[in-house]
Amino acid sequence: MLKKLSLICLANFFIASVLGLLLRYASVDSIGINHRYLTHAHSHVAMLGWVYLMLFSFIIFNFIKVNRKKYIRLFWITQISVLGMLFSFPFQGYGAVSICFSTLHILCSYLFVFWVWKDLKNKAGASVLMLKSALVFMLISTIGIWSLGPIIAIYGSGSMYYDIAIQFFLHFQFNGWFLFGVLALLIKNLNVENNFLFKSFHLLLTFATIATLALPIHWFQPHVSLIYINGLGVFIQLVAVVLLLRLIFVKAKVSKPSRASLCILTYVFVFCCLVFKVLFQGVSLIPELAGELYQYRNFVIGYIHLAMLGIITGLLLASLLQSLQFHKNKIMQSGFYLFYFGFITTEILIFYQALCYYLKNQGMDHYHRLLFWASTFLALGILCILIGTFTSLDKEKT
């Protein structure tokens, strides 16, 4: 059943990558699409159809031992909401239909949190604590969405409060729910104990997640105190990452687990991305840059992809490799390497172009065309991983 659910999640991921390719191509040549509407469809399918549902699947098969049938039914209802957003956002943006399906997804997520919390009532441990923190952050993030209605009614959609509410939602989705969720899977897989080292890591990462919200608020409501709060959060996050690496090193040294080379490579890839994420956030410690980064769209897109594709998706794919044991599937392996190549190439292009704009240089010739072709490797990689999963499932049936 986990393979079947993974297949659906990967299909959502591939669809999101195709939508991303269309957005890239629209910058090369006009194809008659509403760029903003398609961006909404791309981001919602990627976040809610891929990351959310893949996390959903891994959580119920790693943490829940009984009463899984209700979760499976909830999975399909949530998938219907994703399909509704896929077929409504490209044509109307935030309209009546897309908002209804988005609301259905949020209500499904509340039911998911309630059930998981209830089923974990008598369980403890490092991974359970990490998972519960992820679920709390998911609930907190939705405050940003529910506040949009009153904000639009009072201040309008062009107000700074509207932008802050959106950033509030995205911050606690990416850095809270998604990050803590995939780390819960990693910690459970490594059998990390709930010792002093882990508790220190958990406490520091939780504080850093809250404190670094100060930067997106500073973009729309500048204040010097927000720069200092964000700086403290970035420093504490760096310490938390060091503790996490220490946890992994200690556990690996004690248990010496036998892992396939592709799985090890994926973890190396993830933690390289994690280091780059922290270094990138460190740039925001420079007061002159803290308020300017948001003005350069490529910096923002590159950072989002670094977190979404590099860290969160990387850990999900590592969990997929270990849970379903696809190490010897050649199509799957090819997919991973294509994905890595596409990700690294697009990130280099995006950040280099952003740096050129910041330095007032002209930038690369044929940048959008190069970015489009580099992005095709991401889509091809995801397609190969999807086909590898399907062929593995088909072999089991025969």
Side-chain angles (χ1 to χ4, degrees):
M1 181 57 70
L2 177 57
K3 284 188 178 181
K4 292 180 181 179
L5 299 188
S6 299
L7 197 63
I8 299 300
C9 298
L10 287 167
N12 290 337
F13 194 19
F14 176 65
I15 291 169
S17 71
V18 172
L19 294 177
L21 270 182
L22 287 175
L23 290 168
R24 298 282 194 227
Y25 190 78
S27 299
V28 177
D29 191 16
S30 177
I31 55 176
I33 62 170
N34 186 307
H35 195 278
R36 186 175 183 181
Y37 289 178
L38 196 63
T39 300
H40 289 323
H42 166 70
S43 60
H44 280 77
V45 175
M47 287 177 59
L48 307 179
W50 160 239
V51 176
Y52 176 93
L53 281 178
M54 195 71 256
L55 256 180
F56 181 111
S57 304
F58 280 133
I59 288 169
I60 62 176
F61 282 96
N62 282 276
F63 291 90
I64 309 300
K65 302 301 181 184
V66 294
N67 299 323
R68 286 179 179 166
K69 287 185 178 180
K70 63 181 181 182
Y71 289 100
I72 304 300
R73 288 193 292 267
L74 183 61
F75 176 95
W76 291 114
I77 296 172
T78 308
Q79 173 62 16
I80 290 172
S81 74
V82 172
L83 292 176
M85 288 183 274
L86 170 63
F87 290 111
S88 57
F89 270 117
F91 304 103
Q92 65 171 198
Y94 277 102
V97 178
S98 60
I99 289 175
C100 284
F101 281 113
S102 300
T103 303
L104 174 61
H105 195 288
I106 292 176
L107 295 178
C108 287
S109 71
Y110 287 169
L111 185 58
F112 174 67
V113 171
F114 175 76
W115 281 348
V116 172
W117 203 279
K118 185 178 179 181
D119 288 336
L120 293 179
K121 181 173 60 175
N122 298 321
K123 296 183 179 180
S127 59
V128 172
L129 177 59
M130 207 72 188
L131 176 58
K132 286 184 175 181
S133 300
L135 296 175
V136 170
F137 277 126
M138 186 224 284
L139 295 178
I140 291 173
S141 72
T142 60
I143 295 173
I145 298 300
W146 294 121
S147 65
L148 289 177
I151 288 173
I152 293 173
I154 299 172
Y155 301 103
S157 59
S159 70
M160 67 174 182
Y161 299 107
Y162 180 90
D163 292 323
I164 289 173
I166 293 293
Q167 292 299 321
F168 182 95
F169 169 74
L170 292 175
H171 178 82
F172 285 116
Q173 280 278 307
F174 282 107
N175 300 300
W177 156 227
F178 290 163
L179 182 59
F180 276 69
V182 292
L183 288 177
L185 295 175
L186 175 64
I187 288 167
K188 183 172 181 60
N189 183 49
L190 293 175
N191 295 315
V192 173
E193 293 86 6
N194 191 16
N195 52 26
F196 176 77
L197 185 60
F198 168 78
K199 289 177 180 177
S200 300
F201 157 73
H202 175 264
L203 181 64
L204 291 175
L205 187 62
T206 301
F207 180 84
T209 302
I210 297 171
T212 50
L213 176 65
L215 180 61
I217 295 176
H218 175 75
W219 290 339
F220 305 104
Q221 185 61 42
H223 194 279
V224 66
S225 64
L226 294 173
I227 295 178
Y228 291 120
I229 294 172
N230 174 66
L232 178 61
V234 170
F235 175 75
I236 291 175
Q237 182 180 240
L238 176 60
V239 177
V241 169
V242 172
L243 292 181
L244 176 62
L245 293 174
R246 176 65 179 164
L247 277 169
I248 294 171
F249 175 78
V250 169
K251 198 63 188 177
K253 188 177 180 180
V254 172
S255 58
K256 299 186 187 308
S258 57
R259 303 182 191 277
S261 58
L262 182 58
C263 195
I264 295 172
L265 179 62
T266 301
Y267 281 124
V268 172
F269 167 78
V270 167
F271 286 105
C272 285
C273 291
L274 185 60
V275 170
F276 278 112
K277 175 181 179 288
V278 174
L279 291 176
F280 183 81
Q281 286 182 291
V283 175
S284 66
L285 298 178
I286 304 172
E288 293 78 11
L289 294 177
E292 294 184 15
L293 289 176
Y294 186 72
Q295 300 174 22
Y296 298 91
R297 188 167 176 268
N298 279 20
F299 275 130
V300 177
I301 293 174
Y303 176 78
I304 290 174
H305 284 183
L306 186 64
M308 180 80 164
L309 295 177
I311 300 170
I312 296 166
T313 292
L315 284 174
L316 287 175
L317 292 177
S319 295
L320 191 69
L321 277 172
Q322 290 194 273
S323 299
L324 306 182
Q325 298 182 349
F326 286 145
H327 309 119
K328 296 181 180 180
N329 188 309
K330 297 298 183 182
I331 301 175
M332 175 75 74
Q333 291 178 356
S334 299
F336 272 74
Y337 294 128
L338 287 169
F339 180 82
Y340 296 147
F341 179 79
F343 173 80
I344 293 170
T345 306
T346 53
E347 286 293 281
I348 290 172
L349 289 171
I350 290 170
F351 279 115
Y352 179 77
Q353 186 76 348
L355 184 61
C356 287
Y357 286 149
Y358 178 75
L359 297 175
K360 312 303 180 187
N361 294 332
Q362 184 177 358
M364 288 181 290
D365 294 330
H366 309 296
Y367 164 72
H368 292 292
R369 193 175 298 276
L370 289 170
L371 189 59
F372 168 76
W373 286 113
S375 300
T376 59
F377 288 97
L378 282 171
L380 285 173
I382 297 165
L383 178 60
C384 287
I385 295 171
L386 174 62
I387 293 172
T389 307
F390 179 78
T391 56
S392 175
L393 185 64
D394 193 51
K395 285 179 182 178
E396 280 188 1
K397 291 181 180 179
T398 57

